[in-house]
């Protein structure tokens, strides 16, 4: 800031005063780094500030916090990123304003690997027509297909968490039958094993009836 002083010269009965002023230094601020990268796991990193001025720090994104958000002179900023559970790399910036100037820290965070779990991974139907649900937990897009015509799946695609509806038509044969539901995500597949019980048939013969399976 601008500052003033006086010099007083005393001699005899009179004093002489000299007024002195000094211009303020320009506001300056230097960061120890202007680029930071995080892994997909949440963590914290520090940035050192060297300054002669007041400053304010502001993050552009909710997933990245900065502390403290203001100060005077030298200090240390702590940047904290939450977990990135998506399969997309993400970006943010921290703007540090001082005087009429500002400087920016560029921040990036790596994407998480594509993941998907299905529950249950094994489904059994009775011989009658029916439906059963399978729960999907995922952070990415996926597509679904059935290996057999007697078993349909809905929906056939989605993103993130969801519920699959497996529908089997009645099994009118006397043999158990099997199918597989394949869920493709990224370069990986998850499989649901499906089986259906054989029918129970009543066979009529002369004078009696037999049940066979």
């Amino acid at each position: 800031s601008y500052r003033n002083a006086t010099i007083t010269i005393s001699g005899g009965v009179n004093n002489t005063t000299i007024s002195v002023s000094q211009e303020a230094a320009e506001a300056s601020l230097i960061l120890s780094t202007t680029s930071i990268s995080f892994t997909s796991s949440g963590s914290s990193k520090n940035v050192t500030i060297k300054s002669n001025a007041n400053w304010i720090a502001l993050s552009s994104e909710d997933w990245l916090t900065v502390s403290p958000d203001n100060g005077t002179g030298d200090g240390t900023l702590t940047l904290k990123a939450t977990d990135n559970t998506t399969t997309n790399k993400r970006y943010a910036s921290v703007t540090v304003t001082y005087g009429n100037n500002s400087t920016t820290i560029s921040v990036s965070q790596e994407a998480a690997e594509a993941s998907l779990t299905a529950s249950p991974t094994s489904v059994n139907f009775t011989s009658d027509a029916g439906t059963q649900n399978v729960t999907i937990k995922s952070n990415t897009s996926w597509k679904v297909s059935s290996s057999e015509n007697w078993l349909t799946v809905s929906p056939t695609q989605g993103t993130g968490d969801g519920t699959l509806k497996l529908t089997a038509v009645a099994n009118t044969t006397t043999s158990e039958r099997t199918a597989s539901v394949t869920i493709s995500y990224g370069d990986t597949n998850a499989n649901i094993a499906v089986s259906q019980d054989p029918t129970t048939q009543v066979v009529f013969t002369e004078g009696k009836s037999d049940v066979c399976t």
Side-chain angles (χ1 to χ4, degrees), residues 170-183:
N171 184 4
T172 59
T173 74
T174 57
S175 300
E176 181 186 48
R177 59 186 181 183
T178 60
S180 178
V181 173
T182 301
I183 308 171

Side-chain angles (χ1 to χ4, degrees), residues 113-160:
E113 292 186 4
S115 66
L116 185 145
T117 58
S119 178
T121 56
S122 179
V123 174
N124 175 257
F125 289 91
T126 66
S127 61
D128 297 329
T131 62
Q132 295 197 44
N133 292 334
V134 173
T135 300
I136 289 179
K137 296 290 185 182
S138 181
N139 65 352
T140 189
S141 57
W142 40 266
K143 292 184 177 181
V144 187
S145 62
S146 170
S147 65
E148 304 297 332
N149 291 334
W150 59 265
L151 180 71
T152 58
V153 185
S154 177
T156 57
Q157 61 182 349
T159 300

Side-chain angles (χ1 to χ4, degrees), residues 62-92:
D62 291 339
W63 58 265
L64 180 71
T65 59
V66 56
S67 178
D69 58 7
N70 66 86
T72 300
D74 298 345
T76 300
L77 296 179
T78 299
L79 279 60
K80 185 175 182 179
T82 61
D83 291 346
N84 184 4
T85 58
T86 74
T87 56
N88 297 316
K89 188 174 183 178
R90 59 186 183 182
Y91 301 89

Side-chain angles (χ1 to χ4, degrees), residues 144-210:
V144 187
S145 62
S146 170
S147 65
E148 304 297 332
N149 291 334
W150 59 265
L151 180 71
T152 58
V153 185
S154 177
T156 57
Q157 61 182 349
T159 300
D161 298 344
T163 300
L164 298 181
K165 182 179 180 180
L166 279 59
T167 302
V169 300
N171 184 4
T172 59
T173 74
T174 57
S175 300
E176 181 186 48
R177 59 186 181 183
T178 60
S180 178
V181 173
T182 301
I183 308 171
S184 302
Y185 62 101
D187 298 323
T188 310
N189 293 330
N191 295 297
I192 303 168
V194 182
S195 62
Q196 189 175 30
D197 297 335
T199 189
T200 299
Q201 290 184 333
V202 179
V203 178
F204 289 94
T205 59
E206 186 176 341
K208 64 177 181 178
S209 64
D210 297 319

